[in-house]
Amino acid sequence: MMRLIKQILPKSLFWRSFLIVLIPVVLLQGAVAIIFVERQIENTSRRLAVGVAGDVAFVLDAMRVIEDPSLRQWTVLRASEALQINLVQSPSSTTEPIIPGYDGGIATQSLFRALDERLPYPIEVQEARANDLFIMRIDLPEGLTTVTVARKRLESPTTHIFFTWMVGAAVLFTGIAVIFLRNQLRPISRLARAAEAFGKGRPVTWLKPSGAAEVRQATAAFLEMQERITRQITQRTEMLAGVSHDLRAPLTRMRLELALLASSKSRHEADIRALEADVVEMERMIEEYLDFARGQGGEAPVETDLAALLDNIVAGASRRGAAVALETERPLAVTLRPGAIKRCITNLVDNAIRYGGGVRVAALRYNSAIEIAVEDDGPGIAPADREKVFRPFVRLDAARNPNRGGAGLGLTIARDIARGHGGEVTLSEAAGGGVRVVLRLPV
Ligand SMILES: Nc1ncnc2c1ncn2[C@@H]1O[C@H](COP(=O)(O)OP(=O)(O)OP(=O)(O)O)[C@@H](O)[C@H]1O
Ligand SMILES: [Mg+2]
């Protein structure tokens, strides 16, 4: 049954909405029409018929008592003019015998009944549509009489007017509804086209949120998603470029060192050390890059207690001999990829420990987001460098402290994970001049 309905139902939203508008209108009109036909039309035609039958009976009575021919003539004339009732006294030889009854619709029937109640003679009523007349044949004792009456005396024009208006108004209003409906649906099909285009790899720049609140919301969500995905793709492309660029430096050095090794007869211990160090660096870079590229791939988002996750990270830090102060609500339930987020926050905390010290972590829940702030008392990062450090393999103090720090991927990865959750990582200055880095996750 449901399948059948599904098959019959139109597929497009427009035609479905159209049916939702149309069906109640048609049903309502049908109900009104039936009630109207049953009650109103029958009522009116009965009343009109009673009036006409009274007039006919009166005219026939008058003709029976008036003997003066000129007065009779005057009566027939007045009946025709004022009452629209015409009397035709026909010679009984030329007319067919009367079969009492009626032939026609509601008006004919009502007229027959009304006459039948008033006149004790056989009566036949017929509708002559072509002449706009009703024809009554009455078998009077003094001869068969034909009486005609104008249609408009028995039919109320309001009925037609009413139906015309009702149907006309319904068509008009449905038409207006359709125009509005089309306008409402246009943003939805636009959104569908945008999603399709973006799915095929064509960035959508022409889409603006418009239409009803829900459609606007969907459009805004789509645009945000598009931006996020585009950002992530850009970031990874940059990263690939960075990898090849950064691998070139140790490779060149290695080639140089090998050339030197080959030319010098004696093998220098220091040259081999240098070569080894370069290999180690390359290995680490590739390792970190692969880690990043693998990203949060396989992990599924689950409801997690962020407070417990933070405890875990702080405990890990203290095992490595660093004190981290933690301040958070408990429990702090969020749906996220716990492994990835742990890695993200660990990267931030590790940076704070490595480059700062006096590390404080605070988690706060707002209406639509959770913010995890990591602060330290270190030298901070100059405003000009705050975007740069998110780029892959960027290390600010690489020259100053070549032995401190890693591959320069920590913040890149942290931001990538945050964006993968619809969130963001931003840098600012802590109250004491150190770094304040905030991970913001939408809930
Ligand atoms: N809390 C901080 N205080 C001062 N400088 C910082 C801080 N966090 C990051 N930086 C600077 O930003 C650079 C980039 O940080 P990022 O975490 O991306 O890389 P990294 O720590 O050098 O290496 P990795 O995290 O991959 O081991 C760091 O090299 C450091 O110069
Ligand atoms: Mg780091």
Side-chain angles (χ1 to χ4, degrees), residues 74-294:
W74 179 84
T75 310
V76 170
L77 192 70
R78 286 307 294 152
S80 166
E81 280 171 4
L83 304 175
Q84 284 160 318
I85 288 169
N86 286 295
L87 275 189
V88 191
Q89 203 98 33
S90 35
S92 48
S93 58
T94 62
T95 44
E96 299 160 32
I98 282 179
I99 311 145
Y102 62 91
D103 177 18
I106 294 175
T108 328
Q109 180 195 34
S110 310
L111 183 57
F112 171 76
R113 293 216 177 120
L115 284 171
D116 203 39
E117 273 169 25
R118 274 165 192 74
L119 301 170
Y121 316 110
I123 301 165
E124 187 187 292
V125 182
Q126 250 176 13
E127 193 180 344
R129 272 198 175 274
N131 306 326
D132 272 345
L133 288 177
F134 286 90
I135 302 168
M136 297 153 265
R137 299 205 304 146
I138 305 159
D139 200 358
L140 293 176
E142 54 273 25
L144 217 145
T145 304
T146 304
V147 183
T148 67
V149 63
R151 165 189 288 280
K152 61 169 178 265
R153 283 221 50 196
L154 279 151
E155 272 178 5
S156 153
T158 47
T159 320
H160 298 287
I161 293 170
F162 178 81
F163 273 109
T164 316
W165 270 101
M166 200 171 79
V167 174
V171 169
L172 182 73
F173 293 145
T174 312
I176 292 173
V178 165
I179 292 171
F180 278 98
L181 209 60
R182 267 202 187 287
N183 283 338
Q184 289 306 306
L185 295 186
R186 200 164 297 137
I188 298 180
S189 24
R190 249 210 323 259
L191 181 57
R193 259 184 290 129
E196 209 179 305
F198 184 57
K200 288 175 185 160
R202 286 175 231 140
V204 177
T205 50
W206 43 265
L207 190 68
K208 297 268 168 308
S210 69
E214 291 83 351
V215 186
R216 265 171 202 276
Q217 202 181 339
T219 311
F222 169 81
L223 288 174
E224 219 168 89
M225 179 190 79
Q226 168 173 273
E227 203 190 308
R228 213 165 67 218
I229 293 175
T230 314
R231 245 179 359 210
Q232 236 162 3
I233 293 172
T234 318
Q235 197 175 29
R236 296 215 164 165
T237 316
E238 257 174 28
M239 170 108 178
L240 266 178
V243 169
S244 22
H245 179 266
D246 285 44
L247 282 179
R248 205 174 297 141
L251 271 175
T252 316
R253 280 203 303 270
M254 282 166 79
R255 190 152 5 97
L256 205 72
E257 281 153 9
L258 280 173
L260 284 174
L261 267 184
S263 66
S264 68
K265 300 273 171 330
S266 58
R267 297 192 166 182
H268 293 295
E269 190 91 350
D271 289 339
I272 296 172
R273 277 290 121 71
L275 209 57
E276 268 172 8
D278 280 341
V279 172
V280 168
E281 189 181 342
M282 282 173 68
E283 260 172 13
R284 193 183 56 193
M285 282 171 69
I286 291 173
E287 198 85 3
E288 295 233 10
Y289 171 66
L290 285 179
D291 261 12
F292 172 79
R294 257 181 243 123

Side-chain angles (χ1 to χ4, degrees), residues 23-37 163 166:
I23 289 174
V25 170
V26 168
L27 288 182
L28 179 70
Q29 296 235 335
V32 168
I34 287 168
I35 292 166
F36 194 81
V37 167
F163 273 109
M166 200 171 79

Side-chain angles (χ1 to χ4, degrees), residues 347-348 350-351 354-355 405-406 408-411:
N347 283 357
L348 304 181
D350 281 356
N351 278 355
R354 199 188 279 161
Y355 309 107
L409 279 172
L411 287 174

Side-chain angles (χ1 to χ4, degrees), residues 332-378:
L332 200 56
V334 210
T335 302
L336 43 74
R337 302 184 182 87
I341 290 292
K342 184 175 173 190
R343 169 129 207 237
C344 170
I345 301 172
T346 306
N347 283 357
L348 304 181
V349 171
D350 281 356
N351 278 355
I353 294 169
R354 199 188 279 161
Y355 309 107
V359 184
R360 305 170 298 276
V361 178
L364 264 180
R365 177 191 285 274
Y366 295 94
N367 274 340
S368 60
I370 284 180
E371 282 189 3
I372 298 130
V374 181
E375 290 185 354
D376 62 58
D377 294 331

